[in-house]
Amino acid sequence: MAAEARRGPYICGLDAAMDVVSGKWKSLILWELHHHGVRRFGELRRGLPGVSEKMLIQHLREMAEDGLVHREVYREVPPRVEYSLTEHGTSLNEALRALGAWGTARRQRLAAETPLNQVAG
Amino acid sequence: MAAEARRGPYICGLDAAMDVVSGKWKSLILWELHHHGVRRFGELRRGLPGVSEKMLIQHLREMAEDGLVHREVYREVPPRVEYSLTEHGTSLNEALRALGAWGTARRQRLAAETPLNQVAG
DNA sequence: CAGAATCCGCAACGATACTG
DNA sequence: CAGTATCGTTGCGGATTCTG
């Protein structure tokens, strides 16, 4: 138990929410699980280009502890573990929709301001 | 130009929005400016217990570059600088309302699960 | 009062190797 | 396949000092 999220004390609601989504890939994990419903570890890994196993499992564990994702383990050979959103995870995703829309608008604004260079990132 | 936010390239809208609010005090700054309309540097400092001048000015600069806050400098003695939300900053705050509400619900859930200990933080 | 400049600790993040 | 363990790096955030 070393790399856990803060989990309070929080100053306000926004603070408590940000704590749960802070982490480079967490919002993307939420997004992935929201769209695919159920995903295995390897599927998530492939769906998040650039993520390391360490960060993925670490974020997944924290999100499970925070009650955002459900972790279902099938003791088979080869092993299989499936991740899905819980009720709280789903509601969090809903709460993030407005923010995602704002960000999309921002991206378009940014793209419009950039003629034709720098886009190549 | 060393401690700036990422500003892309972004994977999705949520990513672009999170980039702008990531930073320990940014959401609180947004909150402060939203409630008080216009605030001076010192007022913000006092309104955010625990923040250092460095982080405050750094966040403020980034948010100004991101078009979230407006920085008005009055060349007087003693100097005075006033910060306020721009249109984009205001709309971002609106977009964060659902998230704040979710966090508030989470705090209440957390508090309900904790009998009487650990609360003292 | 409002910042600038500097040093530094620590947590987050990342890459690799190994295991059940 | 789905992790665990370890090590190395990066950069955020904090404390302090100095300036216009």
Side-chain angles (χ1 to χ4, degrees):
Chain A
M1 298 185 191
E4 295 182 6
R6 255 179 51 222
R7 289 179 189 74
Y10 301 120
I11 301 177
C12 66
L14 197 49
D15 189 20
M18 288 300 297
D19 184 24
V20 154
V21 247
S22 76
K24 193 171 181 179
W25 306 92
K26 285 194 179 175
S27 58
L28 283 324
I29 292 174
L30 241 30
W31 184 260
E32 272 285 312
L33 291 182
H34 173 66
H35 276 275
H36 296 276
V38 174
R39 297 233 92 179
R40 300 181 55 171
F41 185 83
E43 291 176 333
L44 280 172
R45 191 156 122 74
R46 281 185 292 276
L48 274 42
V51 73
S52 65
E53 297 107 351
K54 177 193 169 186
M55 290 318 299
L56 184 54
I57 189 62
Q58 183 176 309
H59 282 163
L60 247 16
R61 294 257 192 229
E62 291 178 8
M63 293 168 82
E65 274 198 35
D66 286 335
L68 303 180
V69 312
H70 174 67
R71 183 167 177 271
E72 189 70 39
V73 182
Y74 300 89
R75 296 220 66 204
E76 313 172 342
V77 181
R80 176 164 59 111
V81 180
E82 290 184 346
Y83 294 91
S84 58
L85 287 187
T86 64
E87 225 179 304
H88 294 324
T90 303
S91 67
L92 175 57
N93 225 307
E94 294 299 315
L96 283 170
R97 273 174 54 177
L99 190 60
W102 187 93
T104 299
R106 178 175 128 88
R107 286 185 75 187
Q108 293 172 353
R109 216 180 308 127
L110 251 46
E113 287 170 2
T114 308
L116 272 178
N117 44 26
Q118 185 105 4
V119 187
Chain B
M1 295 188 193
E4 296 181 6
R6 252 178 56 222
R7 290 179 190 74
Y10 301 119
I11 302 177
C12 66
L14 197 49
D15 189 18
M18 289 300 297
D19 183 25
V20 155
V21 254
S22 76
K24 193 172 182 181
W25 306 92
K26 286 195 179 176
S27 58
L28 283 324
I29 291 175
L30 242 29
W31 185 260
E32 271 286 311
L33 291 180
H34 174 64
H35 276 274
H36 296 276
V38 175
R39 297 235 93 180
R40 299 181 56 173
F41 185 83
E43 291 176 333
L44 280 171
R45 192 156 122 73
R46 282 185 291 276
L48 274 42
V51 74
S52 65
E53 297 104 352
K54 176 194 169 184
M55 290 318 298
L56 184 54
I57 188 61
Q58 183 175 310
H59 283 162
L60 247 16
R61 294 256 192 230
E62 290 177 8
M63 293 168 81
E65 275 198 33
D66 285 337
L68 303 180
V69 312
H70 174 68
R71 183 168 177 269
E72 189 71 40
V73 182
Y74 300 89
R75 296 220 65 204
E76 313 171 343
V77 180
R80 177 164 59 111
V81 179
E82 290 183 347
Y83 295 91
S84 57
L85 286 187
T86 64
E87 225 179 305
H88 293 326
T90 303
S91 67
L92 175 57
N93 224 310
E94 294 299 315
L96 284 170
R97 276 174 54 176
L99 190 59
W102 187 92
T104 299
R106 179 175 127 88
R107 287 185 74 187
Q108 293 173 353
R109 215 181 306 128
L110 251 45
E113 287 170 0
T114 309
L116 272 180
N117 43 28
Q118 185 107 6
V119 186

